[in-house]
Amino acid sequence: QVRLVESGGGLVQAGDSLRLSCAASGRTFNTYNMGWFRQAPGKEREFVAGISKGGSTTRYADSVKGRFTISRDSTKKTVYLQMNSLKAEDTAVYYCAADNTPYVNDVVPYTFDYWGQGTQVTVSS
């Protein structure tokens, strides 16, 4: 199993940028597909971005395309979410997620099995 710890959340103004980090424990980080989800008040948790275990494939929610970038560093065992041009509607608790399903190809999964505790992102308008 892997344990995930998010960090980097905070209070920013609309139009600002923020970078979230997700540190993964264990020795098998390179076998995990990683993703970011978020949950806003009164809403269900939604997919934001994902990256395959090899880093060759990424997928984003339409609402964040062109503004958010997901990346990973195998040496640091960390996945990042660079968020630019933040909007008030981006306000949510952001969760890091992992999946170790042994897919044949380097793909971003649609389901994840491991979750971090979340980090709050608040964007004021």
Side-chain angles (χ1 to χ4, degrees):
Q1 296 184 356
V2 61
R3 301 193 73 87
L4 310 172
V5 180
E6 304 96 333
S7 63
L11 174 63
V12 298
Q13 294 183 342
D16 287 351
S17 297
L18 202 60
R19 189 189 194 191
L20 305 183
S21 298
C22 174
S25 65
R27 303 171 298 171
T28 59
F29 177 74
N30 291 342
T31 69
Y32 287 87
N33 304 294
M34 305 295 296
W36 286 96
F37 289 72
R38 67 186 182 187
Q39 186 168 18
K43 297 183 179 180
E44 294 295 320
R45 183 172 56 192
E46 65 175 344
F47 172 80
V48 176
I51 186 168
S52 60
K53 59 182 180 292
S56 65
T57 306
T58 58
R59 189 175 79 249
Y60 299 90
D62 289 339
S63 59
V64 306
K65 285 182 179 178
R67 298 190 299 120
F68 291 10
T69 302
I70 188 171
S71 62
R72 63 191 297 157
D73 187 321
S74 60
T75 300
K76 297 181 179 180
K77 298 181 180 180
T78 301
V79 62
Y80 304 96
L81 184 66
Q82 179 66 46
M83 304 183 293
N84 298 327
S85 302
L86 283 164
K87 306 174 181 179
E89 50 263 44
D90 293 320
T91 296
V93 176
Y94 283 71
Y95 298 91
C96 180
D99 168 77
N100 64 350
T101 301
Y103 297 107
V104 175
N105 298 318
D106 199 38
V107 301
V108 177
Y110 287 90
T111 58
F112 294 82
D113 299 319
Y114 306 97
W115 302 87
Q117 295 300 308
T119 184
Q120 177 70 49
V121 173
T122 302
V123 184
S124 62
S125 59

